[in-house]
Amino acid sequence: MNSIATEVVTESPEDKLNQRLCSMIKTYIEPEAVDEVVDAYHFAANAHAGQLRKSGEPFICHPLSVAMILAEMRIDQKGLMAAILHDVVEDTVISIEQVSEVFGEEVAGLVDGVTKLTQLDSKSSAEEAQAENVRKMFLAMARDLRVILVKLADRLHNMRTIGAMAADKRRRIARETLDIYAPLANRLGMNQIRLELEGLGFKSLYPMRYRVLNQEVRERRGRRKEVVSTIESTVKKRLDEAGITSNVVGREKHLHSIYRKMRNKKIPFSEVFDVYAFRILTSDINSCYLVLGTVHNLYKPLPGKFKDYIALPKSNGYQSLHTILVGPYGISIEVQIRTYDMHRMAKSGIAAHWLYKSDGKKSEVNPQARAHEWVRNLLEVHESVGNSLEFIENLKVDLFPQETFVFTPQGEVVKLPRGATVVDFAYSVHTDVGNTCVAARVDRRLIPLQTKLVNGQTVEIITSTWARPNPGWLNYVITAKARAGIRSYLKNFKAKEASSLGRRLLEQELFSLKTKIEDIPLQRIAELLKALDLESLDQLLEEIGLGNRMPFLTARRLCSGIVDTEIVLEDMESVTHAALMIKGTEGTVVSLAKCCHPIPGDPVVGLFNPGTGIVVHLNDCLNIFDNRKKSQGWLDIEWDHSVSGEFSVALDVGMKDQRGSLAMVASAISKAGSNIENFAITSQDGHVTEDLITLSVKDRRHLAEVIRALKNLSVVLSVHRARNKKGGSG
C-alpha cells in the first residue's frame, strides 16, 4: 500500500489569536481601521520574533491578549494598536521614533506612555522605581485616558498568566496589583476589572488562605441555594404586585471581599458568609426608589445602613441604592438597587465611553469627566510634592476613600474622605481658599479648623488676605490636595521669604558691629562662602533666614580683620573638638554649662559671651530664664551628629544606707561603661541616703543604660537626673 505524504499546515497560536481579535473588532470598527490593527500586529510580531514568555508561548501572544481585553471594551483602533505595540520599545530594538514614523504620533504617544511605566532606574530602590512608574503613568493619563486602559489590560493578562513566574516575583506583582492597580480600577469605576484583579492578586499573594476560603464557599454554596431562591421569588412577587418591572438576582460575594471583611472587622467566615446579597435592576431612577420602599415594606431595614449613591454618586461615578434588611429567620440581606444604565457604568467605568457611546443615551454621571477631574487634581499634587514616594503616599490616600458628604453654603455637595477636616474642605474648594482660611462655620457655628467633618454638615470657610498656611495643619489634614497645597506654599514661602529675613538678621548683627554688608570686601565674602560650601550670598542669607546659620556668628566671621569683634579665636588645635560639637558654631569656642550638664541628644540653647565664646545649656535650665529676658546673645543650636567624647552628667540617687551599697552602685556604673567623677551625700534620713553622683557618659542613650543598670540594683530606691539650682552658669 502506497503512502502519500501530505504537508499539514498548522496555524500558530499567535495567528489564531489575531483571527479571534479581528473577528471581535469587525463588529464595531470600520474595515480600514481593522487593517491598521492587522498592520500593527505584523509589525509587533516581527519585532518580537524569537522571544518567548516564561510559559513558553510566543511573546506576541501577550500583547494580542491585551488587545482582546480592550476589544471587549470596544476600544478604538488607535488604542488597540497601542496595546499590540506596547512592549516593542521596551523589549525590542524598535525605538519610539520608528513607531511614530510608521503608525503616527497618536499611537506612539500611547505606546510611549505605557512604556515609561516599566522603565526602571538601576540606582533606585524597588519601592522608588514603583513609585516613579506610577507617577509617570498619571502624567501619561493626563494626556490620554487610554494609557491607563492599556496598562490595566496589560496587568490583567499578566495576572491571568502569573503562574509561570517564580514565587517571590508572583508575590511582589500580586502585592503591587492589590495596592495600586485594583484600587485604581475601582477609582476609575471599572468594577469588573477590579474584581478580577483582586481575585487573582489574592490567590497569588495568599494561596493557602485562598484555597481554604474557596473550599469553604464551595461546601456551603449548596445549602444557600434554597434560601437565595426563596428570597428572590418573594421579592420578585412583591415587586410584581406593586407593578414594578425589575430583575432580581442573588449575587455571591467574591473571595477577596470576604477575606477583607473578615480581616478588617475581625469576624469569622460564618458571620460574613451568612449575609445574603441581592441586586435589583430596574428601568429608571423613580423605579429605584419605588423598589426601595417595597423591599423596606417586605423586610425590616437596619437603621443607619441605608446609602443613597444615586443622589450622591461616589467619586468614581458609581450610582446605586444600598440597604441592609433583616430577612426570614433573622438572616441579613444586602440589597443594591440601580438602573440598567447604572449597572453598565458600575461594571465598565471610564470604558463605558467606548462601550455604550453608540446607544444614543447620555448618562447623568460621566465617569470619564470625573476621571479627568481626578487626574487633574493629582497633577496639582504632582507639581508640589518632593519625590515619587511622597506622590504615591498621597495617591494611596485618594485610592482608599471612605467618603463623607458635606455642603457649601450654596448647597453644592463636596465629597471628602472619611475623617477629613475643615482645612481639607477649604483646599477641596480651591487652593487659594485653603491657603487663606482663618476660621470656619459649620451649621452656622464657629469651629476650630482641625475639626473633623461628618455627613450632612454645611461648611462655610472664612478667609483673610493676610493669612497663610500653618505648618501644624499637616498634623491633621488627610487629603492629598490639602497636604500638597500646604507643603507647596511653605516651600515657596521659605525660598522667597527666607532670603529677605536672613538679610535683615545679618544686617542687624552687622549694625551692632558698626558695619554694613556693602562694606564687607567681596574677597572676604567669597572665602566664607567657600568655607561653608555655599554658592552665593543669597544662599547664605537663605540659610540664615531658615535658621540653619546663626546671624551673629556669620556677621563676626565676615567682620574678622575689619573690626574688633571681641571673639577669642584661639589656636585652632585647641578648639577643633569643641567646634565640631554644635552645628553652626564653626570657628567659635564652645563650652558646656556646669549648672545643668548638657550631653549629646539633649535639647539645648547657647549663650554667646564675648571673650568666652558659646556656653551650652539645657533649654529648661533654671539659670536661663531670667538671663534670657535680659540678654540678646541666646542662640537656637543643636548637637552635631558626629559629636563624640565623654560628657559629665549628675544623678540624684536614693539608696539604702547599708554596708556595700556604694560598692554595688560603683560596680554597676563601671559595668555600664561609665566613670564616677564626683560623689556627695546630699541628705541622710534613717536607713536612706540621697546622693549626688557626677559621672561621664557618651550621650543620652548611654545615660539611659547607666540609669537602667542602677534601677536593677536592690539597694537603689530611686534614680533620676539632677536638676540644677539657680547659680553660676559655669
Side-chain angles (χ1 to χ4, degrees):
M1 184 174 182
N2 295 330
S3 61
I4 300 174
T6 58
E7 184 181 354
V8 178
V9 179
T10 59
E11 282 189 312
S12 64
E14 56 266 37
D15 287 335
K16 289 181 180 179
L17 281 174
N18 182 47
Q19 289 179 12
R20 286 176 56 197
L21 176 62
C22 289
S23 299
M24 291 174 67
I25 64 178
K26 281 177 182 176
T27 61
Y28 71 94
I29 288 181
E30 298 297 324
E32 297 80 6
V34 175
D35 292 340
E36 292 182 33
V37 176
V38 173
D39 290 342
Y41 159 66
H42 290 304
F43 185 91
N46 289 331
H48 290 295
Q51 294 181 344
L52 299 177
R53 302 194 81 209
K54 293 281 187 182
S55 60
E57 67 179 355
F59 190 95
I60 188 62
C61 292
H62 166 64
L64 279 174
S65 299
V66 172
M68 290 182 67
I69 293 172
L70 294 176
E72 292 172 3
M73 303 180 197
R74 301 171 70 90
I75 299 299
D76 61 11
Q77 79 271 20
K78 300 294 185 184
L80 294 170
M81 292 162 68
I84 294 171
L85 298 165
H86 81 270
D87 276 329
V88 296
V89 174
E90 183 188 350
D91 293 324
T92 76
V93 295
I94 301 296
S95 68
I96 197 67
E97 289 77 19
Q98 289 175 278
V99 174
S100 178
E101 184 179 341
V102 177
F103 298 104
E105 291 185 6
E106 184 179 350
V107 173
L110 293 172
V111 172
D112 188 43
V114 179
T115 300
K116 286 182 178 178
L117 307 183
T118 50
Q119 287 178 342
L120 300 181
D121 181 356
S122 60
K123 297 179 181 178
S124 303
S125 67
E127 186 180 14
E128 289 171 334
Q130 180 206 45
E132 184 60 28
N133 288 340
V134 173
R135 181 155 77 163
K136 287 176 180 176
M137 176 170 63
F138 277 89
L139 289 173
M141 280 175 63
R143 295 189 296 271
D144 197 323
L145 282 174
R146 285 175 295 182
V147 168
I148 190 56
L149 294 179
V150 174
K151 184 57 185 176
L152 286 174
D154 175 44
R155 178 53 59 110
L156 180 57
H157 184 254
N158 281 333
M159 290 302 298
R160 287 174 177 174
T161 57
I162 200 172
M165 294 287 184
D168 59 335
K169 195 167 184 179
R170 279 204 308 270
R171 286 191 293 270
R172 179 182 63 77
I173 295 173
R175 169 59 66 192
E176 186 180 80
T177 299
L178 291 174
D179 282 352
I180 299 294
Y181 291 102
L184 183 55
N186 180 55
R187 187 61 180 75
L188 298 173
M190 303 173 70
N191 197 47
Q192 200 164 356
I193 299 287
R194 187 263 300 181
L195 289 172
E196 188 172 356
L197 286 174
E198 284 182 345
L200 294 169
F202 176 44
K203 183 178 182 180
S204 297
L205 188 61
Y206 303 114
M208 288 295 294
R209 301 178 197 185
Y210 178 89
R211 281 199 293 271
V212 170
L213 276 181
N214 192 39
Q215 183 64 27
E216 286 289 328
V217 168
R218 286 176 179 275
E219 289 178 359
R220 301 194 186 203
R221 186 177 287 153
R223 298 195 293 270
R224 291 167 57 91
K225 282 184 178 179
E226 186 178 345
V227 177
V228 170
S229 178
T230 300
I231 296 173
E232 267 186 24
S233 59
T234 303
V235 171
K236 180 64 177 171
K237 181 180 178 182
R238 182 63 65 92
L239 292 174
D240 288 343
E241 290 172 356
I244 303 171
T245 303
S246 62
N247 182 21
V248 183
V249 181
R251 61 186 183 89
E252 193 168 90
K253 285 185 173 293
H254 295 264
L255 291 184
H256 184 258
S257 175
I258 293 173
Y259 171 72
R260 187 171 56 223
K261 188 166 286 190
M262 289 172 61
R263 186 186 61 188
N264 293 344
K265 295 190 175 182
K266 296 181 173 58
I267 55 178
F269 170 79
S270 58
E271 291 186 25
V272 179
F273 206 67
D274 283 346
V275 176
Y276 291 76
F278 294 85
R279 183 176 292 126
I280 303 175
L281 304 179
T282 187
S283 57
D284 54 59
I285 292 177
N286 287 338
S287 298
C288 291
Y289 289 98
L290 290 174
V291 169
L292 178 70
T294 303
V295 296
H296 278 189
N297 262 329
L298 179 61
Y299 300 122
K300 295 297 180 186
L302 282 178
K305 296 297 183 181
F306 167 66
K307 294 178 181 176
D308 187 345
Y309 292 123
I310 292 181
L312 298 171
K314 288 187 176 183
S315 54
N316 61 6
Y318 174 86
Q319 288 184 290
S320 190
L321 299 177
H322 289 194
T323 187
I324 298 182
L325 313 171
V326 180
Y329 316 111
I331 63 175
S332 295
I333 304 173
E334 289 181 358
V335 179
Q336 297 176 350
I337 306 167
R338 62 179 73 144
T339 67
Y340 292 100
D341 286 341
M342 291 174 188
H343 184 56
R344 295 191 301 181
M345 290 292 182
K347 289 196 302 180
S348 305
I350 63 170
H353 169 75
W354 290 276
L355 260 173
Y356 311 119
K357 64 181 178 180
S358 60
D359 62 5
K361 298 179 182 178
K362 185 176 180 181
S363 171
E364 295 181 15
V365 177
N366 187 339
Q368 274 224 330
R370 288 175 178 268
H372 274 297
E373 181 184 356
W374 178 55
V375 173
R376 280 197 302 271
N377 287 335
L378 280 171
L379 288 181
E380 287 184 34
V381 173
H382 168 264
E383 291 171 1
S384 55
V385 297
N387 54 51
S388 298
L389 290 176
E390 186 178 334
F391 174 79
I392 205 167
E393 172 192 334
N394 291 329
L395 171 64
K396 286 182 178 180
V397 171
D398 269 8
L399 287 180
F400 297 94
Q402 290 182 308
E403 292 166 330
T404 297
F405 295 90
V406 294
F407 298 90
T408 67
Q410 293 74 35
E412 296 177 4
V413 179
V414 176
K415 291 181 283 293
L416 295 167
R418 188 72 51 82
T421 64
V422 172
V423 177
D424 291 300
F425 173 87
Y427 276 98
S428 72
V429 174
H430 196 278
T431 302
D432 290 341
V433 175
N435 286 342
T436 56
C437 68
V438 292
R441 291 190 183 93
V442 171
D443 296 334
R444 299 182 180 181
R445 293 173 51 206
L446 280 171
I447 62 167
L449 291 176
Q450 66 266 35
T451 303
K452 292 183 179 180
L453 299 173
V454 298
N455 278 321
Q457 292 179 322
T458 298
V459 187
E460 178 187 358
I461 301 297
I462 302 169
T463 62
S464 179
T465 54
W466 54 262
R468 63 182 180 86
N470 185 333
W473 293 354
L474 291 171
N475 294 327
Y476 52 79
V477 296
I478 65 169
T479 58
K481 189 172 183 180
R483 300 184 74 84
I486 296 166
R487 285 173 173 161
S488 176
Y489 186 94
L490 294 176
K491 189 187 302 179
N492 293 332
F493 172 79
K494 284 181 178 180
K496 186 169 57 178
E497 300 292 330
S499 181
S500 175
L501 175 60
R503 178 175 288 273
R504 292 199 303 271
L505 292 172
L506 183 59
E507 286 177 342
Q508 183 180 353
E509 294 297 335
L510 290 172
F511 180 78
S512 67
L513 297 173
K514 300 178 182 178
T515 188
K516 296 182 292 185
I517 291 181
E518 293 78 10
D519 297 334
I520 307 295
L522 295 178
Q523 180 63 29
R524 181 60 188 148
I525 294 176
E527 290 173 358
L528 181 59
L529 292 175
K530 184 177 180 181
L532 299 177
D533 196 23
L534 300 174
E535 295 180 0
S536 65
L537 178 60
D538 286 339
Q539 192 176 355
L540 174 61
L541 296 176
E542 187 176 330
E543 286 282 293
I544 294 171
L546 292 173
N548 297 332
R549 296 278 165 191
M550 301 177 195
F552 90 97
L553 285 179
T554 304
R556 282 157 176 76
R557 295 186 70 175
L558 284 172
C559 291
S560 178
I562 301 176
V563 296
D564 182 10
T565 61
E566 298 185 343
I567 298 180
V568 178
L569 295 176
E570 297 178 326
D571 171 57
M572 286 306 293
E573 291 185 3
S574 66
V575 301
T576 297
H577 175 69
L580 288 174
M581 290 168 51
I582 303 294
K583 283 185 177 179
T585 62
E586 296 88 345
T588 307
V589 177
V590 177
S591 60
L592 304 179
K594 296 177 182 177
C595 54
C596 54
H597 294 294
I599 61 175
D602 284 335
V604 289
V605 293
L607 173 62
F608 178 77
N609 289 319
T612 61
I614 297 174
V615 181
V616 181
H617 290 260
L618 292 175
N619 65 0
D620 59 352
C621 174
L622 296 177
N623 283 319
I624 73 173
F625 293 114
D626 292 335
N627 292 335
R628 199 162 191 175
K629 296 175 184 177
K630 303 172 187 175
S631 173
Q632 299 297 317
W634 290 101
L635 312 165
D636 290 321
I637 59 178
E638 61 182 68
W639 296 95
D640 194 286
H641 295 302
S642 61
V643 63
S644 61
E646 299 285 335
F647 301 87
S648 297
V649 67
L651 295 179
D652 280 327
V653 181
M655 68 176 79
K656 297 176 182 178
D657 187 9
Q658 64 185 47
R659 183 177 298 174
S661 293
L662 183 56
M664 292 175 67
V665 168
S667 176
I669 291 174
S670 177
K671 287 180 180 178
S674 180
N675 294 315
I676 296 177
E677 296 180 355
N678 192 30
F679 177 86
I681 298 176
T682 56
S683 67
Q684 195 168 5
D685 182 16
H687 298 292
V688 177
T689 176
E690 293 289 338
D691 305 299
L692 181 65
I693 303 176
T694 305
L695 43 84
S696 59
V697 294
K698 297 175 183 177
D699 50 32
R700 281 172 66 93
R701 180 175 294 181
H702 187 197
L703 175 61
E705 292 171 0
V706 174
I707 292 176
R708 194 178 301 115
L710 292 176
K711 285 183 175 179
N712 287 335
L713 298 177
S714 60
V715 296
V716 173
L717 303 175
S718 64
V719 56
H720 54 82
R721 195 163 172 181
R723 307 301 298 178
N724 62 298
K725 297 182 173 63
K726 287 189 178 183
S729 64

